[in-house]
Amino acid sequence: MTQIEEQVKLLVELQELDTHIQRMEGELESVPLEIKDMEEGFKSKTAYLKKLEDESKSLVLNRKAKEGELEAKEGIVKKYQSQLYQIKTNKEYSALQDEIGRAKADGSVIEEDIIRLMDAIDAKNKDILKEKEVVKTEEVKLAEDKKRLEAQAASVKTELEGVKIKRSELAARIDQKSLSKYERLLKNKDGLAIVPVANEACQGCFRILPPQVINEIRMKDNLVVCDSCARILYIAPPEE
Ligand SMILES: [Zn+2]
């Protein structure tokens, strides 16, 4: 194996580790976002429950107000009825009867309102019970999912530490010049510094490579880079 061939082999191994590291780091970054998403979802469920409870409270207030109105109307009817005995003329009597009739009719309308409100309160309370069950289930699920994600993150973290140690051991075996070229590319080329050639194309940017570039790689005298994307090129040994 030539010096360059050996270096390329190590760089390919290093790229595999770096790709693995990037994937794990991506996973670790996504965990808090996933948890935040789940918490937001749960918050919207509790907010909906709160909205239903507020609506129920306002229906109850409305009902109490109507009951007050009804009581007032009944008071009026009673007052007029007691006045009926003191009346002297027929005309006055029938006028007062009319007043009583109107107050009673008003009272019936209010009574109907109260019945409608009571039905609405019952329906709302049923919704609240249902929503409370949903919130309870979701709360348990949220806690479980959070625990699962956190455990997953912890195991990825441990794995990541191990791979990073492996990486620094491997990096120490690569010559300084090749390593710094690789690391510069890794940083500037979306985490992909060394790519194979397949079907005469660079597998970083997928441009067809001129035959002399492919020959140059085969010579194994230098690190050869892609003219288009500047990534280091290598020819993968045939798979077995
Ligand atoms: Zn390329």
Side-chain angles (χ1 to χ4, degrees):
M1 214 180 257
T2 69
Q3 170 67 15
I4 282 295
E5 202 176 3
E6 170 69 17
Q7 293 297 307
V8 165
K9 190 173 161 284
L10 295 175
L11 287 175
V12 170
E13 281 177 43
L14 193 63
Q15 178 70 71
E16 279 169 14
L17 293 182
D18 279 331
T19 302
H20 191 187
I21 288 170
Q22 288 158 24
R23 214 190 60 227
M24 288 189 289
E25 283 176 342
E27 258 182 82
L28 287 178
E29 274 169 35
S30 76
V31 164
L33 300 178
E34 268 180 74
I35 289 178
K36 194 163 166 271
D37 263 7
M38 295 186 317
E39 283 172 340
E40 292 295 321
F42 180 68
K43 253 190 225 160
S44 77
K45 296 244 164 32
T46 55
Y48 180 58
L49 176 59
K50 169 91 173 48
K51 179 176 164 275
L52 291 178
E53 285 171 336
D54 287 347
E55 284 167 355
S56 170
K57 271 180 207 155
S58 108
L59 286 169
V60 169
L61 286 178
N62 219 333
R63 191 202 69 206
K64 283 183 179 156
K66 290 282 173 190
E67 283 167 348
E69 281 175 41
L70 180 62
E71 219 172 286
K73 287 288 171 198
E74 284 167 348
I76 289 170
V77 170
K78 265 191 198 141
K79 194 181 94 192
Y80 287 164
Q81 277 170 338
S82 69
Q83 286 169 4
L84 278 177
Y85 304 104
Q86 299 149 25
I87 277 171
K88 309 282 187 295
T89 71
N90 275 341
K91 202 181 158 197
E92 274 176 340
Y93 189 87
S94 77
L96 197 52
Q97 283 282 37
D98 286 348
E99 286 297 325
I100 291 170
R102 263 196 290 279
K104 279 186 173 170
D106 288 350
S108 312
V109 170
I110 296 168
E111 258 174 350
E112 278 167 26
D113 286 346
I114 290 171
I115 289 166
R116 259 199 299 276
L117 282 167
M118 282 164 77
D119 287 345
I121 291 165
D122 280 351
K124 194 63 76 184
N125 288 346
K126 259 184 210 150
D127 287 347
I128 288 172
L129 276 184
K130 227 195 286 169
E131 199 54 28
K132 272 185 177 162
E133 276 305 307
V134 170
V135 167
K136 215 163 92 185
T137 311
E138 288 293 314
E139 195 169 20
V140 172
K141 195 174 164 289
L142 175 66
E144 282 171 359
D145 287 349
K146 254 167 97 171
K147 220 166 130 189
R148 179 176 51 75
L149 280 175
E150 278 159 0
Q152 202 179 308
S155 96
V156 170
K157 219 176 251 175
T158 309
E159 195 187 347
L160 179 59
E161 280 160 18
V163 176
K164 277 187 172 168
I165 290 168
K166 244 166 111 183
R167 189 208 188 269
S168 60
E169 285 166 0
L170 182 61
R173 292 165 57 201
I174 300 171
D175 77 68
Q176 201 45 53
K177 209 171 134 233
S178 304
L179 184 64
S180 55
K181 188 187 188 95
Y182 168 92
E183 293 198 319
R184 209 169 40 246
L185 286 167
L186 193 72
K187 215 170 111 193
N188 299 327
K189 296 287 168 183
D190 295 326
L192 197 57
I194 183 163
V195 292
V197 175
N199 302 319
E200 289 160 17
C202 161
Q203 295 304 292
C205 66
F206 300 101
R207 297 274 176 89
I208 296 292
L209 298 160
Q212 70 266 28
V213 170
I214 294 173
N215 280 337
E216 221 185 313
I217 304 168
R218 291 217 164 91
M219 309 254 286
K220 296 162 183 171
D221 288 334
N222 287 302
L223 281 186
V224 180
V225 298
C226 170
D227 275 343
S228 309
C229 70
R231 291 185 177 97
I232 303 163
L233 296 166
Y234 71 97
I235 293 170
E239 281 182 42
E240 283 158 36

